[in-house]
Amino acid sequence: MRKLSILGIGLLLSSACSFTPQLAPELKLPKKPLLKKEVVFLTYKTKKNPVRIKSVQLPAHPIYKNNHVWVDPKSLQLTESQYQVVIDQLSELGLVIANNNDADYILNVQQLSVERTNDIDLQLESNKKIKSKSADVIKNNQSKQCSNYEVKVSFRLNHKKSADVVWIAQASINSQTFIDEPVVYKFTQQQVITNEQAVVDFINLHNTETARKQRFDQKVSIPKYQVVYQTSPLTKVSGLCNNQEVAAVTNNIEAHLIAELMAKLKVR
């Protein structure tokens, strides 16, 4: 009896094993490809033009060091910083700043203007390391339009006793020439996988017990990763271009022109 029982148990186990379904091995997530990324910088510059200066000094009344000069407050109003530039320049020339019109010479500010002009084109500098993937973006961005201002300053110096004009000077420059700083943009091109979630879903779906039963002894093709290039929008990283940025430096431009003009005054 005991031998029969053991034999019966063995038959039952054998029968159970023969009915256990066979499962295909679990699928593994394929290794992702190495994705490329490139950051491209585009540099834009404008053609540099010199400051346009005209200075005429008449010889009838030569100016000497220690002569007194009065800056007429009735002329165009200078800002505090601009007035200081005039004072500093006159002092460097050896002239004395008068507190009233009891002076040898009277300096008038005839023009001090900042005028918004048409936007100016900044041209793209050549890039010898252009890759084929970047070519279209670069081709479509050969120039950038930036705000521009025309800044003008002019002075007149009169001899007090005779009222004769002794010196007239004027200067002008556009803001982008004064800035003389490139405007730099950048964009990023990188590879991305567009079907990563679909591949993950495929693996998960085919790794269920039911699916493993069904695909036993069957070959399954795991979808390949699909890789494409994505290009980011251009973003400015340095330089002055929009109206707010350029307008903010016009006071500095005026001060620069004032200094340029005052340096033209000849003092013996």
Side-chain angles (χ1 to χ4, degrees):
M1 290 293 292
R2 186 174 181 183
K3 290 182 179 180
L4 288 174
S5 297
I6 294 173
L7 181 59
I9 292 172
L11 289 172
L12 287 172
L13 289 174
S14 176
S15 176
C17 291
S18 65
F19 287 101
T20 299
Q22 292 181 295
L23 303 178
E26 288 189 349
L27 298 179
K28 293 183 179 180
L29 197 65
K31 185 178 179 180
K32 295 180 186 178
L34 183 63
L35 301 177
K36 297 179 181 179
K37 180 179 180 180
E38 179 187 17
V39 180
V40 181
F41 291 89
L42 303 180
T43 300
Y44 298 87
K45 284 187 176 181
T46 185
K47 183 180 178 181
K48 187 174 181 180
N49 296 310
V51 179
R52 297 179 291 277
I53 294 179
K54 182 179 180 181
S55 176
V56 178
Q57 188 164 339
L58 304 177
H61 301 281
I63 305 170
Y64 296 97
K65 290 183 178 181
N66 295 320
N67 280 166
H68 286 64
V69 178
W70 184 54
V71 181
D72 189 352
K74 293 181 181 179
S75 61
L76 292 177
Q77 188 66 42
L78 297 169
T79 65
E80 184 176 346
S81 61
Q82 292 167 348
Y83 177 77
Q84 191 60 50
V85 172
V86 173
I87 298 304
D88 290 344
Q89 291 292 106
L90 291 174
S91 298
E92 281 190 26
L93 292 170
L95 299 171
V96 178
I97 310 305
N99 295 323
N100 52 53
N101 64 356
D102 184 17
D104 300 300
Y105 296 95
I106 298 176
L107 181 69
N108 287 275
V109 183
Q110 290 190 295
Q111 185 178 20
L112 193 66
S113 65
V114 177
E115 181 183 355
R116 175 77 184 271
T117 62
N118 294 331
D119 289 351
I120 191 169
D121 282 334
L122 274 65
Q123 299 299 318
L124 177 65
E125 286 191 329
S126 60
N127 189 342
K128 297 180 180 179
K129 297 181 180 180
I130 297 176
K131 294 185 177 181
S132 59
K133 295 295 182 181
S134 306
D136 288 342
V137 178
I138 295 173
K139 181 181 178 181
N140 295 329
N141 291 277
Q142 287 295 303
S143 65
K144 285 292 177 184
Q145 283 199 327
C146 294
S147 293
N148 191 46
Y149 285 83
E150 184 77 11
V151 183
K152 297 179 180 180
V153 175
S154 66
F155 288 106
R156 185 185 76 244
L157 187 70
N158 289 79
H159 184 249
K160 170 68 186 304
K161 289 184 178 180
S162 65
D164 291 341
V165 176
V166 176
W167 175 63
I168 54 175
Q170 60 185 23
S172 63
I173 192 174
N174 70 61
S175 55
Q176 286 296 338
T177 291
F178 171 81
I179 293 168
D180 192 26
E181 171 185 337
V183 175
V184 180
Y185 283 78
K186 76 171 183 178
F187 66 93
T188 301
Q189 284 195 324
Q190 58 183 350
Q191 291 179 318
V192 295
I193 299 172
T194 59
N195 66 333
E196 182 176 353
Q197 189 57 51
V199 174
V200 171
D201 292 342
F202 181 90
I203 296 295
N204 292 336
L205 177 65
H206 285 78
N207 278 345
T208 63
E209 186 175 347
T210 302
R212 291 173 66 192
K213 291 177 183 178
Q214 292 176 350
R215 63 180 177 83
F216 181 72
D217 281 342
Q218 293 182 4
K219 188 176 181 180
V220 175
S221 296
I222 300 174
K224 293 183 179 180
Y225 289 117
Q226 297 175 3
V227 178
V228 299
Y229 272 93
Q230 285 187 350
T231 303
S232 70
L234 264 68
T235 56
K236 187 168 72 67
V237 294
S238 66
L240 308 179
C241 187
N242 66 42
N243 187 55
Q244 183 178 0
E245 294 169 339
V246 178
V249 301
T250 53
N251 282 340
N252 294 338
I253 299 175
E254 288 176 319
H256 173 75
L257 292 183
I258 290 170
E260 289 278 334
L261 284 183
M262 298 305 298
K264 297 295 181 181
L265 186 61
K266 298 175 183 177
V267 178
R268 297 184 182 183

